[in-house]
Amino acid sequence: MRFAIAKLDELIGEIEPGRVVLLETVGELGREFVFKFLQTAEKSGEEVFIFVPGRMVHDVRKWLKNAFVIYPEQGINLHELFSISLALRNARQKIGGFLLLDTLIILHSPEKVFQLFREITDVVRKKEQILIVTFDKNLVDEKILAMFEEESDYVIELREIAEGFRLKKGIRVKKSPFRPPSDFYELVIEGERIDVGDRYV
């Protein structure tokens, strides 16, 4: 699978079944990447699933017409973490997104959320799924973040970079099984258009 974003696909390569992609974000920056990835999968004929907070269901429907959407009011309980891994085990679709880590890290200790993340990655590898996960890196310390990175196959970092008096978005591949880490590149998000531009000097 690929993102269908030319420069990013060049930097990260083909994402094989049984892999977990961690998007390290700031705030909600990055959810468009998850939607774009799943949209590309749908266009290639794949069935997809996505875990989201209830408030995000409407946004999902604008991007993804046929996704199986899993959210707290339907099928899972954010206070009972086993319900989340159980829902993933029951998902028959092979490609998915997970946008609940930020909410879970507020409700539970980082150690409990990491244990759930390990269960999730184990399910993804056994079922040969592909899962793309967003995580606001500002919610945890460096040690906890490193634990999530270690458990993931790919790590893509999104960051806001100061350039003079302006903040510009940047992206880099921090970890990949087959490619070296990349430099930061300019990131452009305009509605459904996502592009990776020039390398930052």
Side-chain angles (χ1 to χ4, degrees):
M1 265 302 301
R2 291 179 178 264
F3 280 88
I5 303 168
K7 187 63 186 179
L8 181 58
D9 288 339
E10 178 189 322
L11 294 172
I12 201 167
E14 185 79 19
I15 299 171
E16 301 172 337
R19 300 288 189 177
V20 174
V21 182
L22 182 67
L23 276 179
E24 290 182 0
T25 68
V26 179
E28 292 192 344
L29 178 65
R31 65 181 184 175
E32 297 93 344
F33 270 87
V34 178
F35 297 157
K36 173 75 171 174
F37 187 75
L38 299 183
Q39 191 180 65
T40 301
E42 277 193 341
K43 286 177 181 174
S44 68
E46 297 283 354
E47 293 184 317
V48 303
F49 66 91
I50 186 167
F51 287 76
V52 293
R55 62 183 168 74
M56 214 178 276
V57 173
H58 179 68
D59 293 335
V60 171
R61 293 297 181 208
K62 286 195 289 188
W63 284 75
L64 305 165
K65 304 304 177 198
N66 303 306
F68 179 56
V69 184
I70 305 159
Y71 55 99
E73 292 79 12
Q74 183 268 321
I76 57 170
N77 184 331
L78 297 184
H79 295 282
E80 297 175 353
L81 296 181
F82 73 89
S83 71
I84 297 170
S85 52
L86 180 62
L88 180 60
R89 284 186 178 89
N90 291 336
R92 59 179 176 76
Q93 301 83 0
K94 288 293 187 183
I95 299 177
F98 193 90
L99 280 72
L100 289 175
L101 276 190
D102 296 351
T103 304
L104 294 174
I105 212 84
I106 292 167
L107 295 174
H108 302 277
S109 71
E111 292 76 16
K112 273 184 137 178
V113 177
F114 176 69
Q115 187 58 45
L116 170 68
F117 188 67
R118 289 187 71 177
E119 289 176 29
I120 287 170
T121 58
D122 188 49
V123 171
V124 167
R125 290 173 184 135
K126 283 180 179 171
K127 294 181 69 175
E128 295 200 322
Q129 296 170 312
I130 295 174
L131 187 67
I132 182 166
V133 181
T134 61
F135 190 38
D136 186 340
K137 59 192 174 191
N138 292 333
L139 294 176
V140 294
D141 62 29
E142 289 292 324
K143 180 184 173 187
I144 297 291
L145 186 61
M147 290 164 59
F148 281 89
E149 290 177 351
E150 179 64 26
E151 192 62 31
S152 305
D153 299 291
Y154 298 85
V155 179
I156 301 171
E157 183 180 3
L158 307 180
R159 184 187 289 180
E160 291 186 324
I161 297 171
E163 195 173 83
F165 293 106
R166 292 175 52 212
L167 276 179
K168 297 179 78 173
K169 297 177 181 69
I171 183 170
R172 74 169 170 145
V173 178
K174 198 171 179 182
K175 177 183 177 184
S176 170
F178 309 114
R179 309 265 173 112
S182 78
D183 294 322
F184 270 102
Y185 288 79
E186 183 181 6
L187 173 62
V188 179
I189 301 176
E190 295 172 348
E192 289 196 17
R193 177 179 164 256
I194 301 174
D195 199 14
V196 175
D198 296 332
R199 181 164 58 97
Y200 283 113
V201 178

